Amino acid sequence: MESVSEATETTTVRSRKTQQKKQQQQQKRSTSMETDVNERLQHSSTSDEPAKGLNVTKPKDSNNEQNVILEEVNDRFSFAIRLEFNAATMGLFLLSFLTRFYRITHPKGVVFDEIHFGKFVSLYLKNTFYFDQHPPLGKLLIAGAAGAVGYSGSFEFPKIGSEYDASVPILALRFVPALCGSLLAPVVYSILRQVKLGQGVSILGGLLIILDNALLTHSRFILMESVLLFFAALGILTVLKFLQAKPFSVRWLTMGTIASGSLTAAVCVKFVGFYSYLLAMYIIGRHIWMELPDRRKSNAYILFKVIAKAILIVSVSLAVYVGCFYLHFATLYKAGPHDNVMTSAFQASLEGGLASITKGQPLRVQHGSQITLKHTHGRVCWLHSHTHVYPIKYKDGRGSSHQQQVTCYGFKDVNNWWIVKRPNKDSLMVDDEPDYIENGDVIQLVHGVTSRALNSHDVASPMSPLCQEVSCYIDYNISMPANLLWRVEILNGKESKNKWHAITSQVRLVHVNTTGALKYTGEQLPDWGFNQFEVAADRRQQTIDTIWNVEEHRYTQHKDKKDVLNKLLATEMIPTEPTKLSFWNKFAELQLKMLLHADKLESHMYSSEPQEWLLMDKGIAYWIDGESNAQVHLLGNLVIWYSATLAILMYVGFLVFYLIRRRRELYDLEPVEWDRFRLGGEIFLAGYLIHYLPYFFVERTLFLYNYLPALLFKVMLLCFVLDHCQLALRKFVKQPTFVVGIFRAIVVAWFAGVLYFFQRYSVLSYGTTALSADDVLELRLKDTWDLIVHKP
């Protein structure tokens, strides 16, 4: 306690009166680790050292003399900034830097998912809009590094293995992932020190991060995982420092800001970064819960501190997340190949986008309007019909109406055009006086090519039997009357004063007779429906799949009404400039699209299931040389992965054993030791489970790299278990010196195995070594490892 306070005194400015008061407070000690830590943190706001037990050194006398001088100044608005260079963290960074940047420009061809992320980076540099299901921060950082050296984004990343041309700055493109991968090891070291592990075990944790082949591989290419892991680990580290800082001090605000920003940055790289954010919220909640028994703190103080933490975290998180997308939209202002995923209004806001196609078309929909109706959210497709009819019976024996098919078609086509008609008018032409459609009006939609009207009735839809079939009505002169009336509901009518506008109005078409809403169901029709998508009427109206908008619009022309048409076009025109869409509208739409457009990849030969990750049953081929068997293949360090899996079982075993013993009122660990044991497990084991278990419920193709965030916490738990094993041997074994010596010898032998595996399989991480077929087969320790052999 005294060493911590003395170190603090060298870096803060306080009055002598305050110093004397704190010296009296320091004499009070608590038996529990949590109270002990909290007391010390109340007297320390600027110390970067971990809490008690982490080898805090006393300052020299010269520092005390300097502190006396500072006390005499007694400037209440001053604060000190202390920079520390820890030899362990610097050494780990340099070693990690060497392994990550060694021959980083090799291979000089596209590696695995570089084909996707490289394209996104090139589009950034050309200011061309793209759509990705993950947030943009990682791609933005890489694009910034590439743009800083003059890269123009000219390379197209056509396929895996394509050679980079001379214009591609390979080092700049791979620099950000490699740098983040290099910084991960010292951050892990600092986390382990923060939870009071010894320096030796903490250094070991950093080395294990460096020596894992999977983490090495993913740090050397244009991939996102190393960036994600760095921000997540930095966020957890600064959360721990934030909780140890004096509330409302400069250090407290700084650590809280960095923690919130880092954790949100992880989310902005990939949405799975939310798991780390969730872990951090659990750690903060646990800390608050442990403070509640301290009656020296008033209810008002505790409540105020909780509210202050919430405000700080939420405000910083929102600022980082929204700011990331603001930069994204500001950079991508040109239309591109992916913008058809977005709504018509979004496309029209892009330079050279839909606005250039719809330029000059009428704005307001009226009787006689020719329109195309686009499904607004989810899959991009247009309301479509053709001359073919539904089959008389489906495979399951159900009968249909045998009416003309209505589908949702994913391409622009002449059969996507419909004419808006008032039920009480026979003509399909625009009138001399405009007859605009407004919210709540009842209309008919007549298919432009076949002249048959949109219809629905009490017949089950072909692929969604709980919904009604939608068709274009054919009068077979049987007892099936036409139900052709649809009510227009404008969902964003406030923006257009309840007028139906092309592009911007989002409408729901409700069948008057049955109250079913026109809906894209997402089901694909069989061959008789040309594999287009099903459209049905659903009485459950309030879903996003019942929302449509008019994309293309023109008035039905007639030679006798040219003057009227010219008059209408002169007064109701879409601006020739791109449609103005606010940042918040773009932001909200993109969030929804990212959630709805999760890639449903078909099964991949290198895909794997979560249960296969524990023992690394399957890797991923990233690249292979065309002239030899030199290749990049994602495999982790088998020794680390297996021993870390064993460490999970050991920690759970320790925990169950101690809990049973404590239930019997047998306390094997001192209160401080027990609190530390729980704290480490709750951070690392909880972190592992939070990052691993959700994948069992994910319905999409998964790969081994999805396991890397969980692996990070698994490795730290391994170090924690090694440290606790040493503690247990010292406490409970006779002749502990001898037994601990044997244990350390076993750890040294195990670490030698880690080094051997890393060195042997580094050829698959760097891809610089030519391999014979026999060499590849020797590396194949498991039959499920699909290493590639294409040269004898």
Side-chain angles (χ1 to χ4, degrees):
M1 290 297 298
E2 293 177 356
S3 61
V4 173
S5 63
E6 290 175 4
T8 304
E9 288 171 0
T10 64
T11 60
T12 60
V13 178
R14 298 182 179 88
S15 67
R16 290 178 177 176
K17 183 177 180 180
T18 304
Q19 295 281 343
Q20 293 172 357
K21 182 179 179 181
K22 292 190 173 183
Q23 287 174 1
Q24 295 174 359
Q25 292 176 343
Q26 287 171 352
Q27 296 174 359
K28 298 179 181 179
R29 302 180 61 92
S30 173
T31 55
S32 69
M33 182 194 72
E34 292 294 337
T35 305
D36 181 55
V37 171
N38 289 334
E39 286 181 356
R40 294 201 319 267
L41 295 176
Q42 291 169 5
H43 312 312
S44 173
S45 63
T46 60
S47 175
D48 287 334
E49 295 297 327
K52 181 183 177 182
L54 297 188
N55 302 326
V56 180
T57 58
K58 293 185 178 181
K60 296 180 180 180
D61 293 339
S62 60
N63 289 340
N64 289 330
E65 294 174 1
Q66 294 174 4
N67 191 51
V68 172
I69 298 174
L70 288 175
E71 288 178 352
E72 293 176 355
V73 176
N74 194 24
D75 187 350
R76 69 178 63 185
F77 299 106
S78 297
F79 64 93
I81 298 176
R82 184 179 64 188
L83 297 178
E84 289 186 349
F85 295 94
N86 184 290
T89 55
M90 291 299 296
L92 288 171
F93 170 73
L94 291 175
L95 180 59
S96 187
F97 186 89
L98 291 174
T99 60
R100 270 60 182 168
F101 279 88
Y102 171 73
R103 298 191 65 178
I104 194 172
T105 58
H106 180 86
K108 297 183 182 297
V110 179
V111 175
F112 194 56
D113 276 350
E114 284 190 335
I115 191 173
H116 302 300
F117 299 120
K119 284 180 180 178
F120 297 151
V121 169
S122 293
L123 290 171
Y124 268 123
L125 297 172
K126 293 186 288 188
N127 306 115
T128 302
F129 181 81
Y130 74 87
F131 175 80
D132 184 28
Q133 69 183 50
H134 291 293
L137 180 58
K139 283 89 71 178
L140 272 170
L141 293 174
I142 296 173
V149 298
Y151 178 54
S152 63
S154 57
F155 191 74
E156 297 294 333
F157 293 85
K159 62 180 181 179
I160 297 175
S162 299
E163 290 292 320
Y164 291 122
D165 58 39
S167 67
V168 180
I170 304 176
L171 173 60
L173 286 169
R174 294 174 178 172
F175 176 81
V176 171
L179 179 62
C180 290
S182 301
L183 291 169
L184 184 60
V187 172
V188 166
Y189 163 83
S190 299
I191 292 175
L192 296 175
R193 290 291 283 156
Q194 206 65 32
V195 296
K196 307 175 185 63
L197 293 194
Q199 190 170 48
V201 175
S202 300
I203 292 174
L204 176 63
L207 290 174
L208 294 181
I209 296 298
I210 295 172
L211 297 175
D212 183 74
N213 302 71
L215 294 176
L216 169 65
T217 302
H218 251 266
S219 298
R220 291 175 46 80
F221 304 110
I222 313 173
L223 304 172
M224 295 296 108
E225 266 62 33
S226 63
V227 185
L228 167 68
L229 293 177
F230 167 70
F231 281 124
L234 180 62
I236 297 300
L237 171 62
T238 46
V239 161
L240 296 175
K241 290 179 176 287
F242 170 62
L243 296 177
Q244 292 184 1
K246 180 182 179 181
F248 313 112
S249 64
V250 173
R251 176 179 170 80
W252 185 83
L253 290 170
T254 303
M255 290 296 107
T257 301
I258 296 174
S260 303
S262 298
L263 292 166
T264 309
V267 179
C268 290
V269 174
K270 278 192 169 184
F271 276 131
V272 293
F274 177 73
Y275 297 143
S276 299
Y277 199 100
L278 190 64
L279 173 64
M281 295 306 102
Y282 165 74
I283 295 172
I284 293 174
R286 177 192 183 278
H287 185 268
I288 294 171
W289 181 258
M290 298 301 292
E291 277 189 326
L292 293 181
D294 188 354
R295 300 299 297 273
R296 293 171 299 175
K297 300 174 182 177
S298 67
N299 295 340
Y301 174 78
I302 293 177
L303 180 61
F304 178 72
K305 191 164 72 168
V306 170
I307 294 174
K309 285 180 180 178
I311 292 174
L312 176 63
I313 292 170
V314 171
S315 60
V316 173
S317 296
L318 287 177
V320 172
Y321 190 79
V322 174
C324 178
F325 280 94
Y326 184 86
L327 183 59
H328 177 73
F329 291 133
T331 305
L332 305 179
Y333 56 84
K334 296 180 181 179
H338 299 84
D339 61 2
N340 62 353
V341 173
M342 312 306 291
T343 62
S344 300
F346 192 105
Q347 294 180 63
S349 70
L350 298 173
E351 181 181 305
L354 190 64
S356 63
I357 299 174
T358 59
K359 180 178 178 180
Q361 72 178 14
L363 175 62
R364 291 183 59 179
V365 178
Q366 65 160 312
H367 170 80
S369 289
Q370 295 180 10
I371 62 174
T372 61
L373 281 168
K374 181 184 179 184
H375 180 233
T376 303
H377 301 295
R379 177 175 287 274
V380 177
C381 59
W382 290 265
L383 189 67
H384 178 94
S385 187
H386 39 240
T387 56
H388 301 275
V389 297
Y390 291 108
I392 297 176
K393 284 192 174 183
Y394 303 121
K395 282 187 176 182
D396 59 4
R398 292 185 296 114
S400 77
S401 65
H402 202 49
Q403 298 280 323
Q404 181 172 302
Q405 296 176 15
V406 173
T407 65
C408 205
Y409 188 47
F411 300 93
K412 292 184 179 293
D413 187 89
V414 68
N415 282 310
N416 297 346
W417 284 94
W418 301 80
I419 302 174
V420 178
K421 179 182 179 299
R422 290 283 193 186
N424 58 350
K425 294 183 178 180
D426 294 329
S427 171
L428 295 177
M429 307 300 170
V430 293
D431 294 332
D432 292 339
E433 293 297 326
D435 186 6
Y436 297 126
I437 309 299
E438 300 184 2
N439 182 52
D441 286 357
V442 175
I443 63 168
Q444 294 177 343
L445 285 176
V446 179
H447 188 239
V449 174
T450 63
S451 298
R452 290 182 175 134
L454 191 69
N455 176 72
S456 187
H457 35 226
D458 192 16
V459 175
S461 190
M463 309 303 295
S464 306
L466 297 179
C467 299
Q468 296 170 187
E469 178 190 87
V470 172
S471 62
C472 281
Y473 183 73
I474 303 174
D475 187 2
Y476 288 123
N477 197 23
I478 57 176
S479 58
M480 183 175 286
N483 295 323
L484 310 178
L485 302 180
W486 299 83
R487 185 175 64 256
V488 177
E489 296 182 357
I490 303 176
L491 305 183
N492 56 343
K494 290 183 179 180
E495 301 174 8
S496 61
K497 298 181 180 180
N498 287 328
K499 314 296 184 183
W500 190 2
H501 286 179
I503 303 292
T504 57
S505 293
Q506 297 184 5
V507 302
R508 181 176 285 125
L509 297 172
V510 180
H511 193 239
V512 173
N513 299 81
T514 62
T515 71
L518 189 70
K519 177 183 178 180
Y520 158 81
T521 67
E523 299 293 335
Q524 196 166 11
L525 297 171
D527 292 341
W528 55 258
F530 305 96
N531 301 116
Q532 296 173 17
F533 288 91
E534 179 188 45
V535 171
D538 193 347
R539 288 186 173 90
R540 298 167 297 179
Q541 301 175 9
Q542 308 300 318
T543 69
I544 60 174
D545 286 323
T546 61
I547 301 175
W548 305 79
N549 68 272
V550 173
E551 183 171 272
E552 296 180 78
H553 180 214
R554 62 190 181 213
Y555 290 139
T556 306
Q557 298 182 11
H558 191 277
K559 62 181 180 180
D560 296 331
K561 302 201 175 192
K562 285 186 178 180
D563 294 339
V564 175
L565 184 60
N566 290 334
K567 180 180 178 182
L568 292 172
L569 293 175
T571 55
E572 297 290 342
M573 300 285 287
I574 285 186
T576 56
E577 297 296 326
T579 299
K580 299 298 182 183
L581 200 63
S582 72
F583 164 76
W584 294 110
N585 287 335
K586 287 184 176 182
F587 177 79
E589 179 177 333
L590 187 57
Q591 302 309 303
L592 182 61
K593 293 292 184 181
M594 288 191 296
L595 293 175
L596 294 177
H597 273 76
D599 288 343
K600 295 181 180 179
L601 301 175
E602 297 180 0
S603 180
H604 192 282
M605 66 177 297
Y606 289 106
S607 64
S608 54
E609 298 298 325
Q611 62 270 18
E612 298 178 288
W613 300 340
L614 288 171
L615 301 179
M616 200 170 61
D617 288 337
K618 204 167 188 179
I620 310 173
Y622 276 18
W623 173 86
I624 187 166
D625 185 19
E627 299 180 356
S628 70
N629 292 318
Q631 58 191 283
V632 176
H633 198 98
L634 184 69
L635 285 174
N637 191 311
L638 198 69
V639 179
I640 296 176
W641 286 47
Y642 275 51
S643 53
T645 300
L646 178 62
I648 295 173
L649 301 177
M650 291 180 65
Y651 181 84
V652 173
F654 274 126
L655 181 61
V656 172
F657 172 77
Y658 289 141
L659 288 174
I660 293 175
R661 294 271 293 175
R662 293 175 75 85
R663 188 63 178 170
R664 297 285 296 168
E665 297 187 356
L666 298 170
Y667 301 100
D668 302 297
L669 300 178
E670 298 295 329
V672 172
E673 295 170 341
W674 170 244
D675 287 340
R676 190 180 74 167
F677 178 79
R678 285 195 310 149
L679 175 65
E682 288 174 358
I683 294 175
F684 301 139
L685 182 60
Y688 174 76
L689 296 177
I690 288 173
H691 286 81
Y692 177 55
L693 295 182
Y695 285 105
F696 284 95
F697 307 97
V698 173
E699 296 182 358
R700 63 180 176 87
T701 304
L702 299 171
F703 296 91
L704 183 65
Y705 61 74
N706 294 122
Y707 189 59
L708 295 182
L711 175 68
L712 178 67
F713 291 92
K714 185 177 177 181
V715 169
M716 288 191 283
L717 182 63
L718 168 61
C719 297
F720 191 85
V721 169
L722 289 175
D723 183 79
H724 188 74
C725 285
Q726 189 168 250
L727 171 67
L729 291 174
R730 285 174 175 167
K731 286 180 67 73
F732 308 125
V733 175
K734 296 179 179 180
Q735 298 180 339
T737 303
F738 175 73
V739 176
V740 169
I742 295 176
F743 174 76
R744 290 180 175 176
I746 294 173
V747 171
V748 169
W750 164 80
F751 185 71
V754 171
L755 289 171
Y756 171 78
F757 193 96
F758 173 78
Q759 183 275 330
R760 178 171 173 76
Y761 282 84
S762 62
V763 296
L764 299 181
S765 297
Y766 293 110
T768 57
T769 304
L771 302 172
S772 67
D774 291 338
D775 293 334
V776 176
L777 293 176
E778 287 180 5
L779 292 172
R780 192 166 176 253
L781 295 183
K782 288 189 170 188
D783 293 336
T784 52
W785 289 4
D786 297 324
L787 303 180
I788 299 175
V789 177
H790 76 158
K791 294 287 184 181

